[in-house]
Amino acid sequence: MATTKIWPVSSDLGYTIRYIVNPQKTQDGKLVSGLNLSADAHDSKGMYQDMLCTKKRFGKTGGRLGYHMEQSFKPGETTPELAHQIGLEFARQLFGDDFQVVVSTHVDKEHIHNHFIVNSVSFVDGHKYHEPNKEYYNRIRNLSDQLCKKYSLSVIEQPKQGRYKSYPEQHHEEQPAHPTVHNLIYEDIDRAIAFSKNLDEFYQTLRDMGYRVKRDGKYPAIAPEGRKFFRLYKFAKGYTEEDIQTRICQRLTKRSPEKTGTGSGFSAEARLGQVGLATTYYGGWRSEREYYRTAARFQRYFLRRYYRGTLWQVYVQYRYVLRAVQRERYPNYPSVDLRRELRKLNRYSQQAVILAKNRIDTVEQLQQHIDDVDHQVHIINKEKWYLKRDVSKADPGEKEVLEQRIIELEQAAKPLTREKFLCRDILKKSSQVEYQVGREKEEAARDYFKERGRSI
């Protein structure tokens, strides 16, 4: 049974080579070999110079210098000589035609294991080595298993699923605390699918949203406003071109559009979403009427009270100022970068609600509120810890009740954890917010009195 790992070497390739050829770990260098290297296997400096010469010959001395791979065997299952022989075959089949490799077998631990240092630059044509994570599982791990079977060694029948997920997959499955570019692109793709009958309409909808679309190359790609192109085949499951086409077909067969009196095939709410007027972007304002009523109240309040007040009043004013800016820019469909900023504005709105609801006027009161919320979260987590301990000892019927209680506690802790995060963010940025509110108010007051021929 052999397990494999691989990771890049970005600095001091020479030190890494010296480490794996250590005589104390390789039976005085007997278990060291080099592939496509002119230097002697015992000369670590010479092997490093061979790799460096290859890099200089093709002008690729920067970036990732090499790759370090490890192949570990089950204790007592193989001899050092057989492990080294397997390692040499493994390296020849993977890299022998293109790359320089140092192979060594370490016997200093209970489990015998092979080390491989691979030059990142090919000695044949100078191309750099790249091993996508999906290919790692399909190629490296499978080859290692084949060699183990060849020499009658055991293999892992049910290997663990790879923990690695691509950047878009990580930020699609779990909603991150801060919006990412991929998340926002996925939202736009979901919206475009909802209003498309085929791929041509889908891409046209994206163009209407401000995207650039490139379909003439090998891989279709889209680019949000002000951003580079993203190839669809690299997106998470459900967002490649094939998956998008499948989702459009499923929507047409399983879901009939709701007819309205306007003659359109979609409801008024859906049409608002299509042009970018989704109510989620209004943050705390539940309707347009509520927004204008709040704006009018603020104007009257602002003229009567020019100087800044307590902490929660500052945030309420800041909320209004930012919402005014947001509304001015909102009629056009917001770009990816603009929507990231709008999400920040919505966070400020939530913070203003917390401060106003709890009547937090000073930084000291804010810190006390954070401590109170933190104490509530601690009590919930403590109870949850005891329940998880009891689950393993409980009967099947009682176990189900305990697990349900754990779920309820987790749901109860989520809003408190979010509130604690928002309050800590206020504590960190309160001085900055106060300064920005003061500047906006001073400019607004200056413009107001300037129109009336007076000075402050």
Side-chain angles (χ1 to χ4, degrees), residues 35-37 50-51 53-55 57-58 95-101 119-128:
L35 294 179
N36 305 315
L37 295 166
D50 284 351
M51 292 187 179
C53 287
T54 300
K55 295 178 184 296
R57 179 154 54 98
F58 293 100
F95 313 110
D97 295 334
D98 293 296
F99 295 94
Q100 297 162 315
V101 189
N119 190 1
S120 61
V121 180
S122 169
F123 69 92
V124 178
D125 55 10
H127 77 273
K128 298 199 77 170

PDB file of all heavy atoms in Angstrom, residues 35-37 50-51 53-55 57-58 95-101 119-128:
ATOM      1  N   LEU A  35      17.460  10.932 -12.822  1.00  0.00           N
ATOM      2  CA  LEU A  35      16.963  10.692 -14.174  1.00  0.00           C
ATOM      3  C   LEU A  35      17.230  11.923 -15.027  1.00  0.00           C
ATOM      4  O   LEU A  35      16.911  13.047 -14.629  1.00  0.00           O
ATOM      5  CB  LEU A  35      15.456  10.405 -14.155  1.00  0.00           C
ATOM      6  CG  LEU A  35      14.990   9.118 -13.469  1.00  0.00           C
ATOM      7  CD1 LEU A  35      13.467   9.008 -13.536  1.00  0.00           C
ATOM      8  CD2 LEU A  35      15.629   7.902 -14.119  1.00  0.00           C
ATOM      9  N   ASN A  36      17.850  11.699 -16.197  1.00  0.00           N
ATOM     10  CA  ASN A  36      18.138  12.765 -17.160  1.00  0.00           C
ATOM     11  C   ASN A  36      19.098  13.810 -16.588  1.00  0.00           C
ATOM     12  O   ASN A  36      19.043  14.990 -16.946  1.00  0.00           O
ATOM     13  CB  ASN A  36      16.840  13.450 -17.622  1.00  0.00           C
ATOM     14  CG  ASN A  36      15.830  12.465 -18.178  1.00  0.00           C
ATOM     15  OD1 ASN A  36      16.176  11.587 -18.965  1.00  0.00           O
ATOM     16  ND2 ASN A  36      14.579  12.595 -17.759  1.00  0.00           N
ATOM     17  N   LEU A  37      19.963  13.386 -15.675  1.00  0.00           N
ATOM     18  CA  LEU A  37      20.952  14.262 -15.061  1.00  0.00           C
ATOM     19  C   LEU A  37      22.349  13.740 -15.368  1.00  0.00           C
ATOM     20  O   LEU A  37      22.603  12.527 -15.324  1.00  0.00           O
ATOM     21  CB  LEU A  37      20.753  14.328 -13.542  1.00  0.00           C
ATOM     22  CG  LEU A  37      19.446  14.967 -13.057  1.00  0.00           C
ATOM     23  CD1 LEU A  37      19.217  14.673 -11.571  1.00  0.00           C
ATOM     24  CD2 LEU A  37      19.460  16.474 -13.291  1.00  0.00           C
ATOM     25  N   ASP A  50      22.686  21.020 -12.765  1.00  0.00           N
ATOM     26  CA  ASP A  50      22.084  20.516 -14.006  1.00  0.00           C
ATOM     27  C   ASP A  50      20.683  21.098 -14.213  1.00  0.00           C
ATOM     28  O   ASP A  50      20.332  21.527 -15.320  1.00  0.00           O
ATOM     29  CB  ASP A  50      22.010  18.987 -13.963  1.00  0.00           C
ATOM     30  CG  ASP A  50      23.359  18.334 -14.217  1.00  0.00           C
ATOM     31  OD1 ASP A  50      24.298  19.065 -14.600  1.00  0.00           O
ATOM     32  OD2 ASP A  50      23.470  17.112 -14.038  1.00  0.00           O
ATOM     33  N   MET A  51      19.888  21.095 -13.143  1.00  0.00           N
ATOM     34  CA  MET A  51      18.535  21.649 -13.247  1.00  0.00           C
ATOM     35  C   MET A  51      18.579  23.154 -13.512  1.00  0.00           C
ATOM     36  O   MET A  51      17.789  23.686 -14.311  1.00  0.00           O
ATOM     37  CB  MET A  51      17.750  21.362 -11.965  1.00  0.00           C
ATOM     38  CG  MET A  51      17.415  19.900 -11.745  1.00  0.00           C
ATOM     39  SD  MET A  51      16.315  19.661 -10.321  1.00  0.00           S
ATOM     40  CE  MET A  51      16.085  17.879 -10.363  1.00  0.00           C
ATOM     41  N   CYS A  53      20.936  24.845 -15.035  1.00  0.00           N
ATOM     42  CA  CYS A  53      21.360  25.073 -16.420  1.00  0.00           C
ATOM     43  C   CYS A  53      20.186  24.937 -17.380  1.00  0.00           C
ATOM     44  O   CYS A  53      20.075  25.694 -18.356  1.00  0.00           O
ATOM     45  CB  CYS A  53      22.474  24.087 -16.798  1.00  0.00           C
ATOM     46  SG  CYS A  53      24.069  24.455 -16.028  1.00  0.00           S
ATOM     47  N   THR A  54      19.332  23.947 -17.129  1.00  0.00           N
ATOM     48  CA  THR A  54      18.139  23.783 -17.972  1.00  0.00           C
ATOM     49  C   THR A  54      17.243  25.021 -17.890  1.00  0.00           C
ATOM     50  O   THR A  54      16.732  25.510 -18.906  1.00  0.00           O
ATOM     51  CB  THR A  54      17.356  22.539 -17.537  1.00  0.00           C
ATOM     52  OG1 THR A  54      18.180  21.382 -17.671  1.00  0.00           O
ATOM     53  CG2 THR A  54      16.101  22.356 -18.382  1.00  0.00           C
ATOM     54  N   LYS A  55      17.061  25.548 -16.698  1.00  0.00           N
ATOM     55  CA  LYS A  55      16.232  26.741 -16.526  1.00  0.00           C
ATOM     56  C   LYS A  55      16.834  27.933 -17.261  1.00  0.00           C
ATOM     57  O   LYS A  55      16.124  28.691 -17.941  1.00  0.00           O
ATOM     58  CB  LYS A  55      16.077  27.062 -15.029  1.00  0.00           C
ATOM     59  CG  LYS A  55      15.316  26.015 -14.227  1.00  0.00           C
ATOM     60  CD  LYS A  55      15.261  26.406 -12.757  1.00  0.00           C
ATOM     61  CE  LYS A  55      14.606  25.338 -11.911  1.00  0.00           C
ATOM     62  NZ  LYS A  55      13.186  25.146 -12.266  1.00  0.00           N
ATOM     63  N   ARG A  57      18.875  27.895 -19.778  1.00  0.00           N
ATOM     64  CA  ARG A  57      18.894  27.677 -21.235  1.00  0.00           C
ATOM     65  C   ARG A  57      17.587  28.129 -21.884  1.00  0.00           C
ATOM     66  O   ARG A  57      17.586  28.658 -22.987  1.00  0.00           O
ATOM     67  CB  ARG A  57      19.139  26.188 -21.517  1.00  0.00           C
ATOM     68  CG  ARG A  57      19.154  25.827 -23.004  1.00  0.00           C
ATOM     69  CD  ARG A  57      19.983  24.581 -23.237  1.00  0.00           C
ATOM     70  NE  ARG A  57      19.553  23.477 -22.410  1.00  0.00           N
ATOM     71  CZ  ARG A  57      18.739  22.492 -22.831  1.00  0.00           C
ATOM     72  NH1 ARG A  57      18.298  22.497 -24.082  1.00  0.00           N
ATOM     73  NH2 ARG A  57      18.413  21.517 -22.025  1.00  0.00           N
ATOM     74  N   PHE A  58      16.471  27.956 -21.153  1.00  0.00           N
ATOM     75  CA  PHE A  58      15.172  28.360 -21.702  1.00  0.00           C
ATOM     76  C   PHE A  58      14.665  29.668 -21.096  1.00  0.00           C
ATOM     77  O   PHE A  58      13.526  30.072 -21.356  1.00  0.00           O
ATOM     78  CB  PHE A  58      14.143  27.251 -21.481  1.00  0.00           C
ATOM     79  CG  PHE A  58      14.434  25.997 -22.263  1.00  0.00           C
ATOM     80  CD1 PHE A  58      15.036  24.903 -21.658  1.00  0.00           C
ATOM     81  CD2 PHE A  58      14.131  25.924 -23.606  1.00  0.00           C
ATOM     82  CE1 PHE A  58      15.306  23.748 -22.363  1.00  0.00           C
ATOM     83  CE2 PHE A  58      14.388  24.770 -24.332  1.00  0.00           C
ATOM     84  CZ  PHE A  58      14.989  23.678 -23.716  1.00  0.00           C
ATOM     85  N   PHE A  95       7.781  11.130 -15.615  1.00  0.00           N
ATOM     86  CA  PHE A  95       8.578  12.288 -16.016  1.00  0.00           C
ATOM     87  C   PHE A  95       9.752  11.959 -16.935  1.00  0.00           C
ATOM     88  O   PHE A  95      10.420  12.875 -17.418  1.00  0.00           O
ATOM     89  CB  PHE A  95       9.162  12.972 -14.768  1.00  0.00           C
ATOM     90  CG  PHE A  95       8.168  13.191 -13.668  1.00  0.00           C
ATOM     91  CD1 PHE A  95       8.242  12.467 -12.485  1.00  0.00           C
ATOM     92  CD2 PHE A  95       7.161  14.132 -13.807  1.00  0.00           C
ATOM     93  CE1 PHE A  95       7.341  12.687 -11.461  1.00  0.00           C
ATOM     94  CE2 PHE A  95       6.253  14.349 -12.789  1.00  0.00           C
ATOM     95  CZ  PHE A  95       6.339  13.617 -11.609  1.00  0.00           C
ATOM     96  N   GLY A  96      10.031  10.681 -17.165  1.00  0.00           N
ATOM     97  CA  GLY A  96      11.272  10.286 -17.834  1.00  0.00           C
ATOM     98  C   GLY A  96      11.484  10.875 -19.208  1.00  0.00           C
ATOM     99  O   GLY A  96      12.625  11.066 -19.623  1.00  0.00           O
ATOM    100  N   ASP A  97      10.431  11.186 -19.943  1.00  0.00           N
ATOM    101  CA  ASP A  97      10.587  11.678 -21.316  1.00  0.00           C
ATOM    102  C   ASP A  97      10.831  13.180 -21.379  1.00  0.00           C
ATOM    103  O   ASP A  97      11.277  13.677 -22.419  1.00  0.00           O
ATOM    104  CB  ASP A  97       9.341  11.343 -22.137  1.00  0.00           C
ATOM    105  CG  ASP A  97       9.148   9.841 -22.299  1.00  0.00           C
ATOM    106  OD1 ASP A  97      10.172   9.125 -22.228  1.00  0.00           O
ATOM    107  OD2 ASP A  97       8.001   9.399 -22.453  1.00  0.00           O
ATOM    108  N   ASP A  98      10.529  13.916 -20.310  1.00  0.00           N
ATOM    109  CA  ASP A  98      10.559  15.377 -20.408  1.00  0.00           C
ATOM    110  C   ASP A  98      11.328  16.086 -19.305  1.00  0.00           C
ATOM    111  O   ASP A  98      11.820  17.197 -19.523  1.00  0.00           O
ATOM    112  CB  ASP A  98       9.122  15.930 -20.400  1.00  0.00           C
ATOM    113  CG  ASP A  98       8.352  15.546 -21.644  1.00  0.00           C
ATOM    114  OD1 ASP A  98       8.748  15.973 -22.735  1.00  0.00           O
ATOM    115  OD2 ASP A  98       7.354  14.814 -21.524  1.00  0.00           O
ATOM    116  N   PHE A  99      11.416  15.512 -18.103  1.00  0.00           N
ATOM    117  CA  PHE A  99      11.902  16.279 -16.967  1.00  0.00           C
ATOM    118  C   PHE A  99      13.056  15.568 -16.253  1.00  0.00           C
ATOM    119  O   PHE A  99      13.190  14.340 -16.318  1.00  0.00           O
ATOM    120  CB  PHE A  99      10.767  16.532 -15.965  1.00  0.00           C
ATOM    121  CG  PHE A  99       9.670  17.393 -16.514  1.00  0.00           C
ATOM    122  CD1 PHE A  99       8.554  16.824 -17.098  1.00  0.00           C
ATOM    123  CD2 PHE A  99       9.765  18.781 -16.469  1.00  0.00           C
ATOM    124  CE1 PHE A  99       7.548  17.608 -17.619  1.00  0.00           C
ATOM    125  CE2 PHE A  99       8.755  19.583 -16.976  1.00  0.00           C
ATOM    126  CZ  PHE A  99       7.650  18.993 -17.558  1.00  0.00           C
ATOM    127  N   GLN A 100      13.870  16.372 -15.571  1.00  0.00           N
ATOM    128  CA  GLN A 100      14.950  15.861 -14.741  1.00  0.00           C
ATOM    129  C   GLN A 100      14.413  15.583 -13.336  1.00  0.00           C
ATOM    130  O   GLN A 100      13.688  16.397 -12.771  1.00  0.00           O
ATOM    131  CB  GLN A 100      16.078  16.892 -14.663  1.00  0.00           C
ATOM    132  CG  GLN A 100      16.718  17.177 -16.022  1.00  0.00           C
ATOM    133  CD  GLN A 100      17.504  18.476 -16.021  1.00  0.00           C
ATOM    134  OE1 GLN A 100      17.023  19.487 -15.521  1.00  0.00           O
ATOM    135  NE2 GLN A 100      18.702  18.446 -16.591  1.00  0.00           N
ATOM    136  N   VAL A 101      14.769  14.426 -12.790  1.00  0.00           N
ATOM    137  CA  VAL A 101      14.208  13.996 -11.510  1.00  0.00           C
ATOM    138  C   VAL A 101      15.314  13.412 -10.628  1.00  0.00           C
ATOM    139  O   VAL A 101      16.191  12.686 -11.111  1.00  0.00           O
ATOM    140  CB  VAL A 101      13.106  12.931 -11.705  1.00  0.00           C
ATOM    141  CG1 VAL A 101      12.390  12.657 -10.382  1.00  0.00           C
ATOM    142  CG2 VAL A 101      12.123  13.340 -12.773  1.00  0.00           C
ATOM    143  N   ASN A 119      12.346  18.826 -11.712  1.00  0.00           N
ATOM    144  CA  ASN A 119      12.604  20.163 -12.256  1.00  0.00           C
ATOM    145  C   ASN A 119      11.345  20.678 -12.945  1.00  0.00           C
ATOM    146  O   ASN A 119      10.702  19.947 -13.698  1.00  0.00           O
ATOM    147  CB  ASN A 119      13.765  20.110 -13.248  1.00  0.00           C
ATOM    148  CG  ASN A 119      14.243  21.489 -13.656  1.00  0.00           C
ATOM    149  OD1 ASN A 119      13.732  22.505 -13.186  1.00  0.00           O
ATOM    150  ND2 ASN A 119      15.235  21.534 -14.538  1.00  0.00           N
ATOM    151  N   SER A 120      10.976  21.912 -12.682  1.00  0.00           N
ATOM    152  CA  SER A 120       9.725  22.440 -13.250  1.00  0.00           C
ATOM    153  C   SER A 120       9.834  22.725 -14.741  1.00  0.00           C
ATOM    154  O   SER A 120       8.809  22.895 -15.408  1.00  0.00           O
ATOM    155  CB  SER A 120       9.322  23.720 -12.509  1.00  0.00           C
ATOM    156  OG  SER A 120      10.324  24.706 -12.643  1.00  0.00           O
ATOM    157  N   VAL A 121      11.077  22.788 -15.285  1.00  0.00           N
ATOM    158  CA  VAL A 121      11.282  23.119 -16.700  1.00  0.00           C
ATOM    159  C   VAL A 121      11.755  21.884 -17.453  1.00  0.00           C
ATOM    160  O   VAL A 121      12.706  21.204 -17.028  1.00  0.00           O
ATOM    161  CB  VAL A 121      12.304  24.264 -16.859  1.00  0.00           C
ATOM    162  CG1 VAL A 121      12.517  24.602 -18.332  1.00  0.00           C
ATOM    163  CG2 VAL A 121      11.848  25.499 -16.087  1.00  0.00           C
ATOM    164  N   SER A 122      11.128  21.589 -18.576  1.00  0.00           N
ATOM    165  CA  SER A 122      11.498  20.419 -19.377  1.00  0.00           C
ATOM    166  C   SER A 122      12.842  20.635 -20.051  1.00  0.00           C
ATOM    167  O   SER A 122      13.104  21.706 -20.615  1.00  0.00           O
ATOM    168  CB  SER A 122      10.419  20.160 -20.435  1.00  0.00           C
ATOM    169  OG  SER A 122      10.854  19.202 -21.374  1.00  0.00           O
ATOM    170  N   PHE A 123      13.700  19.606 -20.022  1.00  0.00           N
ATOM    171  CA  PHE A 123      14.996  19.700 -20.701  1.00  0.00           C
ATOM    172  C   PHE A 123      14.852  19.496 -22.199  1.00  0.00           C
ATOM    173  O   PHE A 123      15.805  19.706 -22.963  1.00  0.00           O
ATOM    174  CB  PHE A 123      15.970  18.668 -20.120  1.00  0.00           C
ATOM    175  CG  PHE A 123      15.635  17.237 -20.448  1.00  0.00           C
ATOM    176  CD1 PHE A 123      16.163  16.621 -21.564  1.00  0.00           C
ATOM    177  CD2 PHE A 123      14.770  16.503 -19.631  1.00  0.00           C
ATOM    178  CE1 PHE A 123      15.853  15.295 -21.871  1.00  0.00           C
ATOM    179  CE2 PHE A 123      14.455  15.192 -19.925  1.00  0.00           C
ATOM    180  CZ  PHE A 123      14.989  14.577 -21.042  1.00  0.00           C
ATOM    181  N   VAL A 124      13.655  19.084 -22.666  1.00  0.00           N
ATOM    182  CA  VAL A 124      13.433  18.825 -24.086  1.00  0.00           C
ATOM    183  C   VAL A 124      13.056  20.102 -24.835  1.00  0.00           C
ATOM    184  O   VAL A 124      13.701  20.495 -25.805  1.00  0.00           O
ATOM    185  CB  VAL A 124      12.341  17.756 -24.274  1.00  0.00           C
ATOM    186  CG1 VAL A 124      12.068  17.527 -25.757  1.00  0.00           C
ATOM    187  CG2 VAL A 124      12.760  16.458 -23.601  1.00  0.00           C
ATOM    188  N   ASP A 125      11.974  20.768 -24.382  1.00  0.00           N
ATOM    189  CA  ASP A 125      11.488  21.957 -25.095  1.00  0.00           C
ATOM    190  C   ASP A 125      11.261  23.161 -24.191  1.00  0.00           C
ATOM    191  O   ASP A 125      10.786  24.199 -24.647  1.00  0.00           O
ATOM    192  CB  ASP A 125      10.190  21.632 -25.838  1.00  0.00           C
ATOM    193  CG  ASP A 125       9.119  21.059 -24.908  1.00  0.00           C
ATOM    194  OD1 ASP A 125       9.317  21.091 -23.674  1.00  0.00           O
ATOM    195  OD2 ASP A 125       8.091  20.573 -25.419  1.00  0.00           O
ATOM    196  N   GLY A 126      11.557  23.030 -22.894  1.00  0.00           N
ATOM    197  CA  GLY A 126      11.450  24.179 -21.995  1.00  0.00           C
ATOM    198  C   GLY A 126      10.068  24.457 -21.435  1.00  0.00           C
ATOM    199  O   GLY A 126       9.897  25.455 -20.721  1.00  0.00           O
ATOM    200  N   HIS A 127       9.094  23.598 -21.727  1.00  0.00           N
ATOM    201  CA  HIS A 127       7.768  23.859 -21.156  1.00  0.00           C
ATOM    202  C   HIS A 127       7.767  23.513 -19.665  1.00  0.00           C
ATOM    203  O   HIS A 127       8.525  22.658 -19.217  1.00  0.00           O
ATOM    204  CB  HIS A 127       6.681  23.079 -21.901  1.00  0.00           C
ATOM    205  CG  HIS A 127       6.615  21.615 -21.534  1.00  0.00           C
ATOM    206  ND1 HIS A 127       7.383  20.646 -22.152  1.00  0.00           N
ATOM    207  CD2 HIS A 127       5.875  20.967 -20.591  1.00  0.00           C
ATOM    208  CE1 HIS A 127       7.115  19.471 -21.629  1.00  0.00           C
ATOM    209  NE2 HIS A 127       6.206  19.623 -20.670  1.00  0.00           N
ATOM    210  N   LYS A 128       6.930  24.204 -18.911  1.00  0.00           N
ATOM    211  CA  LYS A 128       6.903  24.016 -17.464  1.00  0.00           C
ATOM    212  C   LYS A 128       5.891  22.938 -17.088  1.00  0.00           C
ATOM    213  O   LYS A 128       4.838  22.793 -17.722  1.00  0.00           O
ATOM    214  CB  LYS A 128       6.574  25.327 -16.743  1.00  0.00           C
ATOM    215  CG  LYS A 128       7.611  26.423 -16.971  1.00  0.00           C
ATOM    216  CD  LYS A 128       7.546  27.523 -15.935  1.00  0.00           C
ATOM    217  CE  LYS A 128       8.155  27.132 -14.627  1.00  0.00           C
ATOM    218  NZ  LYS A 128       8.300  28.264 -13.682  1.00  0.00           N
TER     219      LYS A 128
END
